[in-house]
Amino acid sequence: MLDFYLIIHFLLPVIQCLIGVLANGIIVIVNGIELIKQRKMIPLDLLLSCLAISRICLQSFIFYINLVILSLIDFLPLVKNFAVFMFVNETGLWLATWLGVFYCAKISPIAHPLFFWLKMRISKLVPWLIIGSLLFASIPLVFYSKHTWVLSQEVLLRLFSPNATTQIKETSALQIVFLARFSPPFVIFLISTLLLVFSLGRHTWQMRNTATSTRDSSTGVHVSALLSILSFLVLYLSHYMTAALLSSHIFELRSFMFLFCILVFGSYPSGHSIILISGNPKLKQNAKKFLLHGQCCQ
């Protein structure tokens, strides 16, 4: 039975990696072509492009981790480059958080001076938010590289090598560091997304009750946006929770729950990119063109 789980666990990450690289690659290519044509990029496209690049790197790292779990490759290179993986993952979480804030500021119908101020300035703030995310995520690499590398090495050796041992307090210290650094983007994302969900839900409910005889496509647009944001929220929460569970080492290596958490962790960068493409008319149209062109080539 375990062999069956391992075979499935090999096939699913391959599919995840292919879908993630393809979906995020489409986002980067479409926005890159637009940049070449227009010689400028709107803030939302810039944020989506940076997020897509980080997710291509993250998806590749996750696939590499799956190969290590299945003992198909050596785990020592993963130990040496684990700090880079943390940088990529944290950068992606911050960029996804700012995407949620951007949607909340632009879409949410909340009538408050703070939201009005944010709505007027969020586009100009996007480049600075991206730079700030990169700088914040690089702090462990620059200032705490030695300490972070030692903790990561000890915990990963304990995780992937049955003969290796480490002290519980060192594992707890690394878990606290991980959760402390991942909590700020998580809290900001949760607040902005819940505000957007509740405001959109209330606005949609009011439109359905007050304009039942004159419904138009705007109600459907709000419902579609609401479902997209809810899907984004579920994927983000699952990514954060599985990262917390995996860092706590409560599951044995290659156990069913351990493999399940790894699969859930890897579904976030690919799944949300598909949602972004399906909810963006420009990306959706170009994705269809790429797929049709690929079928014609075959």
Side-chain angles (χ1 to χ4, degrees):
M1 183 62 69
L2 183 60
D3 292 337
F4 174 75
Y5 287 146
L6 293 178
I7 293 173
I8 296 299
H9 188 77
F10 174 74
L11 294 177
L12 290 180
V14 171
I15 297 173
Q16 281 183 348
C17 186
L18 292 176
I19 293 176
V21 172
L22 176 63
N24 289 290
I26 289 175
I27 295 176
V28 174
I29 292 173
V30 170
N31 290 331
I33 294 174
E34 190 74 15
L35 174 62
I36 294 173
K37 290 181 178 179
Q38 304 294 334
R39 295 190 177 181
K40 63 179 181 179
M41 184 178 292
I42 63 174
L44 178 59
D45 288 347
L46 176 62
L47 186 57
L48 289 175
S49 299
C50 294
L51 181 59
I53 293 172
S54 70
R55 284 177 172 172
I56 291 174
C57 299
L58 178 61
Q59 198 78 66
S60 302
F61 266 111
I62 294 174
F63 182 69
Y64 186 88
I65 291 174
N66 280 288
L67 295 180
V68 172
I69 292 172
L70 298 176
S71 299
L72 297 177
I73 56 177
D74 188 21
F75 69 92
L76 290 178
L78 175 63
V79 175
K80 296 178 181 179
N81 297 289
F82 190 71
V84 180
F85 166 75
M86 295 301 299
F87 167 77
V88 172
N89 186 40
E90 188 173 0
T91 300
L93 288 176
W94 273 112
L95 294 177
T97 298
W98 300 133
L99 182 63
V101 173
F102 187 93
Y103 285 152
C104 181
K106 289 294 186 180
I107 302 176
S108 180
I110 298 176
H112 190 277
L114 178 61
F115 277 89
F116 181 77
W117 178 88
L118 188 61
K119 187 187 294 287
M120 294 294 101
R121 290 168 174 79
I122 187 64
S123 297
K124 296 181 180 179
L125 291 175
V126 165
W128 296 106
L129 293 175
I130 295 173
I131 295 174
S133 301
L134 293 172
L135 293 177
F136 185 82
S138 63
I139 289 176
L141 292 175
V142 178
F143 297 103
Y144 306 106
S145 57
K146 183 178 179 180
H147 183 63
T148 304
W149 187 86
V150 171
L151 285 176
S152 303
Q153 183 188 40
E154 291 173 346
V155 174
L156 288 174
L157 285 173
R158 176 178 178 269
L159 181 63
F160 291 108
S161 179
N163 298 323
T165 58
T166 187
Q167 297 180 3
I168 296 177
K169 64 179 182 180
E170 291 168 344
T171 304
S172 301
L174 184 60
Q175 184 183 6
I176 292 173
V177 171
F178 288 171
L179 295 180
R181 292 194 61 80
F182 289 161
S183 294
F186 173 75
V187 172
I188 296 173
F189 173 82
L190 193 61
I191 293 174
S192 61
T193 306
L194 289 179
L195 283 174
L196 181 55
V197 167
F198 287 136
S199 61
L200 270 182
R202 183 177 62 180
H203 184 67
T204 303
W205 179 262
Q206 291 175 350
M207 290 181 62
R208 286 190 171 184
N209 289 337
T210 58
T212 55
S213 59
T214 59
R215 292 177 185 170
D216 53 14
S217 60
S218 60
T219 303
V221 171
H222 282 85
V223 172
S224 177
L226 186 60
L227 293 176
S228 177
I229 294 165
L230 285 173
S231 302
F232 186 13
L233 177 61
V234 170
L235 287 170
Y236 193 103
L237 285 173
S238 63
H239 185 79
Y240 180 84
M241 295 305 297
T242 51
L245 290 173
L246 291 171
S247 64
S248 64
H249 300 288
I250 61 176
F251 303 126
E252 294 183 1
L253 181 65
R254 300 190 186 91
S255 64
F256 175 77
M257 288 304 301
F258 184 90
L259 297 178
F260 178 75
C261 287
I262 291 293
L263 289 175
V264 173
F265 186 82
S267 64
Y268 163 71
S270 56
H272 182 240
S273 299
I274 295 175
I275 295 174
L276 288 176
I277 292 176
S278 62
N280 189 307
K282 180 180 69 175
L283 295 175
K284 187 176 181 180
Q285 182 181 4
N286 283 277
K288 289 181 178 179
K289 290 181 179 180
F290 284 133
L291 293 176
L292 291 176
H293 181 71
Q295 291 179 355
C296 293
C297 292
Q298 292 179 354

